[in-house]
């Protein structure tokens, strides 16, 4: 309440927020959702013929998910 309601952030608030998100599975759920979006994007690229550009776009989809881990 202090951090959000009163806009008073302390040095340990980010670490505490990360612990809470981890404890409640928010980080894992978000990464799983991101992986789903990346897979959907790659499937959508399937309408294009194989090319260097399509391969790069698929790489970008993979990178956006993997860099967060």
């Amino acid at each position: 309440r202090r951090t959000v309601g009163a806009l008073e952030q302390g040095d340990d608030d980010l670490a505490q927020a990360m612990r809470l998100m981890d404890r409640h599975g928010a980080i894992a759920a978000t990464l799983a959702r991101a992986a789903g979006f990346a897979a959907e994007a790659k499937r959508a690229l399937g309408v294009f013929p194989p090319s260097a550009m399509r391969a790069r776009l698929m790489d970008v989809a993979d990178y956006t998910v993997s860099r967060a881990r």
Side-chain angles (χ1 to χ4, degrees):
R1 290 182 182 185
R2 171 191 49 81
T3 301
V4 176
L7 299 176
E8 296 174 13
Q9 291 85 32
D11 292 338
D12 296 326
D13 289 336
L14 178 58
Q16 175 64 12
M18 295 295 288
R19 282 191 297 276
L20 287 170
M21 289 187 289
D22 188 47
R23 181 184 315 146
H24 294 284
I27 294 170
T30 300
L31 289 172
R33 190 167 183 203
F37 284 130
E40 184 179 338
K42 289 169 66 174
R43 279 192 300 277
L45 290 170
V47 300
F48 298 106
S51 67
M53 181 61 74
R54 186 178 94 167
R56 294 301 78 76
L57 289 170
M58 289 186 165
D59 289 345
V60 167
D62 290 334
Y63 172 74
T64 58
V65 177
S66 68
R67 72 185 187 93
R69 295 174 194 249

